[in-house]
Amino acid sequence: MSFETRASLRLWSAVLVLALPAAAAAWQAQPPRPAAPPPVIVVQPPANARFQQVVREHEVRDQLQKSQLEEQLRQNQTDATRRPYAANPIHATRLDQADQAQRELYRARQQDLLDRYQNAVAPPVVHPDKSPASSRSGG
């Protein structure tokens, strides 16, 4: 073997000797992969559930429209009540506060109606790793 061949073999051997521990340390230093989230099982509703859902959708839509009309009537009444007191800032401020409270109440009622509808039509979600609360409470 020539001198150049032996020198290149020694160089490669030295590179491998130095690179192997560094590669092993880098491989061991990698963080563990996070565990996959548990699967979510969606329970299919019975066959007549779609009809029931459509009925509930219509009921909610009707209730929302009725509530919206009532709010419009209330706004008209508030505007009519406000006219005679427009020049008095104390009465105007009180009417503004009352109107704001009524609007917040209206929004809360609408949101409650939508939340109850969503809870009624959403399919139940079962987490396989969690048992029901009733079975956990031993007494």
Side-chain angles (χ1 to χ4, degrees):
M1 241 194 240
S2 71
F3 174 74
E4 291 173 356
T5 307
R6 276 187 262 158
S8 66
L9 283 175
R10 284 187 189 145
L11 178 66
W12 279 110
S13 298
V15 167
L16 283 176
V17 167
L18 293 175
L20 283 177
W27 177 73
Q28 290 176 352
Q30 290 179 352
R33 293 185 181 200
V40 175
I41 300 170
V42 177
V43 178
Q44 292 297 323
N48 66 349
R50 179 63 189 144
F51 173 75
Q52 292 171 352
Q53 181 179 356
V54 169
V55 169
R56 281 193 297 266
E57 286 173 7
H58 287 287
E59 288 173 351
V60 169
R61 188 176 307 120
D62 290 345
Q63 289 174 341
L64 288 172
Q65 288 174 349
K66 178 185 172 195
S67 179
Q68 187 176 17
L69 288 173
E70 288 172 351
E71 177 64 11
Q72 288 172 354
L73 287 172
R74 190 198 64 76
Q75 281 290 333
N76 292 340
Q77 288 175 340
T78 300
D79 292 342
T81 306
R82 202 180 286 268
R83 285 188 200 112
Y85 301 103
N88 187 333
I90 293 172
H91 288 302
T93 301
R94 288 182 182 161
L95 286 171
D96 287 342
Q97 291 171 345
D99 187 44
Q100 178 65 28
Q102 287 293 324
R103 279 184 276 151
E104 289 174 8
L105 181 62
Y106 167 72
R107 284 191 208 109
R109 284 180 179 155
Q110 295 291 82
Q111 188 61 52
D112 179 61
L113 184 61
L114 291 174
D115 291 345
R116 284 188 287 135
Y117 168 75
Q118 182 60 37
N119 290 336
V121 299
V125 176
V126 177
H127 297 282
D129 61 333
K130 295 181 182 177
S131 59
S134 61
S135 66
R136 276 187 266 162
S137 59

